[in-house]
Amino acid sequence: VAGELNKKSKNYYDSQQENGDQSSHYGAISPQASSEVQEEPLSTYFEDKVPIPESDNECFSFRKLWAFTGPGFLMSIAYLDPGNIESDLQSGATSDFKLLWVLLYATIIGLLLQRLAARLGVVTGMDLAEICNRQYPTVPRMILWLMIELAIIGSDMQEVIGCAIAFNLLSVGRIPLWGGVLITIADTFVFLFLDKYGLRKLELFFGFLITVMAISFGYEYGLVKPDQGEVLKGMFLPYCPNCGPVQLEQAVGIVGAVIMPHNIYLHSALVKSREVDRKNKKEIKEANKYFFIESSIALLVSFVINLFVVAVFAQAFYNKNNMEVNAVCNATGSPHTDLFPLNNGTLEVDIYKGGVVLGCFFGPAALYIWAIGILAAGQSSTMTGTYSGQFVMEGFLNLKWSRFRRVLLTRSIAIVPTFLVAISKDVQHLTGLNDILNVVQSILLPFALIPILAFTSLTSIMNDFANGLVCKVLGSLVILLVCAINLYFVVVYVTALNSVWLYVIATLVSVVYLCFVIYLVSCYKLFERTMCCYLSGLPMV
């Protein structure tokens, strides 16, 4: 591995020297100059880069902030997809306000990771997938690509599930779940043509969808009127009294739903849509500053929307039992009363039942507005998932597929299992997939965290913009925490299945998982050493 990394480092450095990249770009590495890579990408996202206006005020300019606004809000949509909404409502219904601090801290950690992703794209002019392609040997690079593709497909499935449920609720059951799944096939390809109207119009459209979600879930928040003292207490007091495996699983789901691995790859690519002179250190610093401000605003908005959902279900439905809900739904003439059995079991909700119980307790308007919010969440995340897939495939494989072919492949993979579940099972099985997929996202998270932390810490890549010691330590702690939580969850989940064969399989998978995580960490040290040795003329030991 060290030999191959050393060879790759030497080849990259030599090619940069031959092409004059070291003198023409401030970042220590730059996009490859081969004719193959210089072909115009088939993605239309970067056909018209947004110019940055001049300003007399060097400290802060609203005109410049507006010019940089867009990538952060597109990135923030991944924090608002149907998987997040389901995680939020279940957090409120099962844990009251106790896990709001987990949501807050996960969002803050997400912001810091998105900051690293944006800095990587601005300084190097390449996205994370492209740099992985250049730095990792072939086999681990392909494994890493497959892991991120799995995360994208899982996210696609959540979007399909959310849209199908929204169509079913809005049509009062007239559109079956499998019909809603088929509709998402058509609307995905319709959305592919939106960016033909220009990059800024596309970004404004996504801003509109975020606004729809804010109004929809904000309406529910105003209707339910949660206890503001409990909301603040849940946000700022990191504790969870009387919590057990259910709450732990919910906390893992929150982390997996909020910090999605492919979103880090996406953000590092989106920032390339702005005209930034990478020869100019001042412009790079300015771009990093405005992208961070924009991302902070975007994630603050996403956090508030997620907070609305958690608080609504914590206030209205925490500790409710099935018999209570059945009685209220029956009294209001709801056609969904049979969803709640006549027993004293604790109410279990998902994005489908969530809309139903809101309709039973607060009127039909609450149900329809909820469904509109879910539909906006699913439709907006459809396009960001498409972009993620295209950037990841192009970066890891250097493969230029048209967006149509790319969507046809990944959406088909996502729709086939979702469609089979929708046509053969009930809505509980369909929404149950969301819980599993949120945990899968959490398990795959290290495959984005380790590369982004490693590459942004290398001075051979980031030059003066490399991470400092504090950032490295905090990032390493986050990775250790995520891996520990994931392994604990696997142990708890598999133990509950009471199968020796599953114990063996889970043990083997966990060992392989840990070995690959350790390998990715060791690659950072190896690459740093090989690059330093090569630049100083010393032999590799």
Side-chain angles (χ1 to χ4, degrees), residues 3-21:
E4 187 168 349
L5 286 171
N6 186 37
K7 181 180 177 183
K8 289 169 78 71
S9 303
K10 181 180 184 301
N11 291 340
Y12 293 152
Y13 185 76
D14 287 343
S15 68
Q16 290 158 14
Q17 292 288 353
E18 291 170 5
N19 293 306
D21 286 342

Side-chain angles (χ1 to χ4, degrees), residues 110-156:
L111 173 62
L112 298 178
L113 294 171
Q114 301 299 162
R115 172 179 174 269
L116 295 182
R119 285 166 65 89
L120 184 72
V122 171
V123 174
T124 66
M126 292 186 291
D127 58 61
L128 180 56
E130 290 174 312
I131 295 180
C132 287
N133 183 18
R134 297 186 61 170
Q135 307 302 335
Y136 287 120
T138 303
V139 173
R141 184 177 73 241
M142 295 303 293
I143 295 173
L144 197 59
W145 169 66
L146 289 173
M147 294 299 100
I148 302 304
E149 286 290 351
L150 181 61
I152 293 170
I153 291 169
S155 178
D156 258 359

Side-chain angles (χ1 to χ4, degrees), residues 43-48 50 66 69-71 73-75 77 188 190-210 266 270 273-274 379-380 382-384 386-387 391 403:
S43 165
T44 60
Y45 188 83
F46 300 130
E47 283 182 2
D48 52 340
V50 176
W66 176 247
T69 296
F73 279 91
L74 264 68
M75 166 273 295
I77 286 171
T188 298
V190 169
F191 278 124
L192 290 182
F193 298 100
L194 285 178
D195 59 2
K196 300 294 183 183
Y197 294 99
L199 173 59
R200 296 297 273 173
K201 291 185 177 64
L202 176 68
E203 292 172 346
L204 285 172
F205 175 73
F206 283 109
F208 166 74
L209 291 177
I210 292 174
L266 172 67
L270 293 176
S273 62
R274 267 53 183 176
Q379 298 290 11
S380 59
T382 291
M383 276 300 287
T384 55
T386 300
Y387 280 125
F391 294 142
R403 190 171 300 139

Side-chain angles (χ1 to χ4, degrees), residues 63-341:
R63 291 180 65 230
K64 285 192 174 183
L65 178 60
W66 176 247
F68 281 106
T69 296
F73 279 91
L74 264 68
M75 166 273 295
S76 73
I77 286 171
Y79 290 70
L80 296 168
D81 70 358
N84 275 281
I85 303 304
E86 176 146 319
S87 175
D88 292 338
L89 66 89
Q90 290 178 341
S91 170
T94 62
S95 310
D96 201 17
F97 299 95
K98 297 173 186 176
L99 295 181
L100 273 177
W101 62 274
V102 176
L103 176 63
L104 176 62
Y105 289 171
T107 304
I108 292 172
I109 292 171
L111 173 62
L112 298 178
L113 294 171
Q114 301 299 162
R115 172 179 174 269
L116 295 182
R119 285 166 65 89
L120 184 72
V122 171
V123 174
T124 66
M126 292 186 291
D127 58 61
L128 180 56
E130 290 174 312
I131 295 180
C132 287
N133 183 18
R134 297 186 61 170
Q135 307 302 335
Y136 287 120
T138 303
V139 173
R141 184 177 73 241
M142 295 303 293
I143 295 173
L144 197 59
W145 169 66
L146 289 173
M147 294 299 100
I148 302 304
E149 286 290 351
L150 181 61
I152 293 170
I153 291 169
S155 178
D156 258 359
M157 290 181 69
Q158 290 180 310
E159 293 152 16
V160 171
I161 291 168
C163 289
I165 288 173
F167 285 125
N168 183 269
L169 288 173
L170 288 171
S171 65
V172 198
R174 292 186 181 88
I175 298 177
L177 291 172
W178 60 265
V181 171
L182 294 178
I183 291 174
T184 61
I185 300 176
D187 64 31
T188 298
F189 291 104
V190 169
F191 278 124
L192 290 182
F193 298 100
L194 285 178
D195 59 2
K196 300 294 183 183
Y197 294 99
L199 173 59
R200 296 297 273 173
K201 291 185 177 64
L202 176 68
E203 292 172 346
L204 285 172
F205 175 73
F206 283 109
F208 166 74
L209 291 177
I210 292 174
T211 303
V212 170
M213 284 184 268
I215 293 172
S216 298
F217 300 131
Y219 170 84
E220 309 287 359
Y221 187 86
L223 195 65
V224 175
K225 297 181 177 62
D227 185 326
Q228 301 305 305
E230 289 297 317
V231 170
L232 294 174
K233 184 178 174 182
M235 282 174 55
F236 297 113
L237 291 181
Y239 81 114
C240 191
N242 303 318
C243 289
V246 173
Q247 286 73 26
L248 178 60
E249 180 181 343
Q250 198 58 55
V252 173
I254 290 173
V255 174
V258 170
I259 310 173
M260 304 185 81
H262 63 280
N263 204 37
I264 295 172
Y265 288 82
L266 172 67
H267 198 198
S268 66
L270 293 176
V271 296
K272 297 191 296 180
S273 62
R274 267 53 183 176
E275 287 185 0
V276 177
D277 184 4
R278 292 180 53 243
K279 305 172 191 176
N280 190 323
K281 181 178 179 180
K282 180 182 175 183
E283 285 200 21
I284 293 175
K285 289 181 68 174
E286 181 181 75
N288 286 333
K289 177 181 74 174
Y290 282 108
F291 276 131
F292 181 66
I293 293 172
E294 184 235 1
S295 297
S296 301
I297 296 170
L299 290 189
L300 175 62
V301 172
S302 74
F303 172 74
V304 170
I305 294 173
N306 284 314
L307 173 67
F308 286 162
V309 179
V310 175
V312 164
F313 283 84
Q315 181 70 33
F317 305 113
Y318 176 63
N319 269 345
K320 284 280 193 300
N321 62 50
N322 289 320
M323 193 167 290
E324 290 179 78
V325 177
N326 184 288
V328 173
C329 289
N330 190 46
T332 57
S334 170
H336 306 289
T337 305
D338 58 333
L339 288 174
F340 312 102

